[in-house]
Amino acid sequence: LDGITHIACTPHANSEYSFRPQENALRLAKLQETVGNRLTLGLGCDFHLSYDNIEDALAHPTKYSINGKRYLLVEFPDFGIPQNISASFYEMSIAGMVPILTHPERNLTLMQKPEKLAVWLRTGGLVQITAGSLVGGFGKGPQRIARQLLDWGWVHIVATDAHNTTSRPPVMSSALKLISQEYGAGTAERLCVHNPRSVFSGVRLAEQPDPARDFSEESPLPAKRHKWS
């Protein structure tokens, strides 16, 4: 399936959708039986930063994480950024979790000031952007920010964020090709294959290259800008 071998199934955990790990595990087993050995499926969560969710995750660090390991996919609201998020990320890290901030390029606040990500990167958080954003699937704004974050070296993972097999299918090849052409095959493999595989397996990421923009700086360092067509 477009070269994809592993998929982490990540239902939402928010005020609208209750997160039921045992029920999800049963459904995952049925789905894995259906697809056979064509794909390796895992289970995680699209974690929303409500007070109840955070308290429950701190009490049960592996409940919401990918495959019950160390990595937790965290989704900001489309509008705004929750208060005290830095403190929450720090508490999660103390509890053994590694927060992965998903699709920040589609958050309207971060679209205005993507440098705000620096504070969470300094606490050990990771950044995941959506493959479709890179190729314009979510509009020019998210595409511009996704590519800016790549220019800065602030991206650790590229994922499909697939929702179905029609309008939001699991497709990685276009983004992989783009990154390979603009940043080299090694970067493409690291962001689209090696780092995601480490997250899926729950192992520590290999040493990452130094970013083009220092996390400790409040204003952007001059980074090489690509002439995107």
Side-chain angles (χ1 to χ4, degrees), residues 13-183:
N14 56 23
S15 58
E16 183 177 358
Y17 299 103
S18 298
F19 186 68
R20 302 183 177 91
Q22 293 181 338
E23 180 178 337
N24 293 338
L26 291 174
R27 294 186 176 188
L28 182 75
K30 292 180 180 179
L31 185 58
Q32 183 69 76
E33 183 179 356
T34 300
V35 301
N37 60 7
R38 290 176 293 172
L39 289 169
T40 299
L41 302 179
L43 189 61
C45 172
D46 211 338
F47 188 84
H48 291 235
L49 293 162
S50 66
Y51 175 82
D52 289 342
N53 268 4
I54 293 171
E55 290 298 300
D56 193 36
L58 292 175
H60 308 94
T62 62
K63 176 178 178 180
Y64 299 92
S65 62
I66 293 179
N67 293 323
K69 308 288 186 180
R70 67 172 68 192
Y71 296 99
L72 177 70
L73 295 182
V74 175
E75 180 175 4
F76 283 177
D78 291 336
F79 300 90
I81 298 174
Q83 294 181 349
N84 299 322
I85 183 59
S86 298
S88 297
F89 275 17
Y90 175 76
E91 291 176 340
M92 289 176 183
S93 66
I94 294 298
M97 291 174 276
V98 179
I100 300 175
L101 180 57
T102 64
H103 52 75
E105 78 279 3
R106 286 151 52 196
N107 177 279
L108 293 181
T109 300
L110 293 174
M111 285 173 67
Q112 298 299 318
K113 290 189 174 183
E115 61 269 19
K116 285 181 175 289
L117 286 170
V119 66
W120 304 306
L121 290 167
R122 286 197 296 269
T123 62
L126 304 178
V127 170
Q128 173 180 297
I129 62 173
T130 304
S133 295
L134 286 173
V135 296
F138 292 90
K140 293 183 178 180
Q143 183 181 39
R144 175 178 58 84
I145 299 302
R147 292 176 171 179
Q148 178 68 82
L149 294 175
L150 277 177
D151 280 346
W152 288 352
W154 286 17
V155 177
H156 301 90
I157 301 155
V158 177
T160 66
D161 196 16
H163 280 47
N164 51 50
T165 59
T166 53
S167 60
R168 294 276 294 273
V171 174
M172 284 286 292
S173 56
S174 297
L176 178 70
K177 180 179 179 180
L178 183 150
I179 297 171
S180 183
Q181 290 173 342
E182 297 294 337
Y183 296 91

